[in-house]
Amino acid sequence: MSVRVTLNCQVKPEQFPALLPFLQENLPNVRGFKGNMRVSVLFDETNNEMLLDEEWLTAQSHQAYLGFISDNGVLAALSAFLSAPPVIKYFHKVEV
């Protein structure tokens, strides 16, 4: 069973246009990382809020990716566009 991961990011005012090329360059790496099944980017212009909606095989797969981008500097580069660290949440589908 997969896990849904959300990263809620508060983008610095006026930074989203500059963030787009960074995302275009780096999202293929996320999508190609072992365990990633899907990544979508949603943006609320009114609040400068970006939501990364991801699906991973396991939470550990996502955490391995976070370690990878922390080590190679991509996480620090992403953080430069944000006014606060992303809020990361893990969700498991519940059959109702």
Side-chain angles (χ1 to χ4, degrees):
M1 175 179 263
S2 64
V3 63
R4 185 93 167 254
V5 182
T6 61
L7 291 88
N8 193 305
C9 306
Q10 190 62 50
V11 180
K12 291 177 182 173
E14 311 299 322
Q15 284 295 303
F16 191 69
L19 176 59
L20 278 175
F22 175 84
L23 293 173
Q24 290 169 338
E25 180 181 334
N26 286 286
L27 283 178
N29 299 325
V30 180
R31 293 179 174 124
F33 198 85
K34 183 179 178 181
N36 181 266
M37 301 169 70
R38 180 188 56 76
V39 177
S40 297
V41 179
L42 306 161
F43 187 65
D44 176 352
E45 293 177 20
T46 304
N47 297 309
N48 287 322
E49 190 174 342
M50 177 176 66
L51 177 68
L52 298 174
D53 180 22
E54 305 179 358
E55 188 172 358
W56 290 81
L57 287 175
T58 64
Q60 293 79 10
S61 298
H62 180 257
Q63 291 163 357
Y65 178 72
L66 288 178
F68 176 73
I69 64 172
S70 179
D71 291 345
N72 72 9
V74 170
L75 187 58
L78 172 62
S79 296
F81 294 100
L82 308 179
S83 59
V87 176
I88 301 171
K89 295 183 180 180
Y90 295 90
F91 296 90
H92 296 276
K93 187 174 182 179
V94 177
E95 297 295 333
V96 178

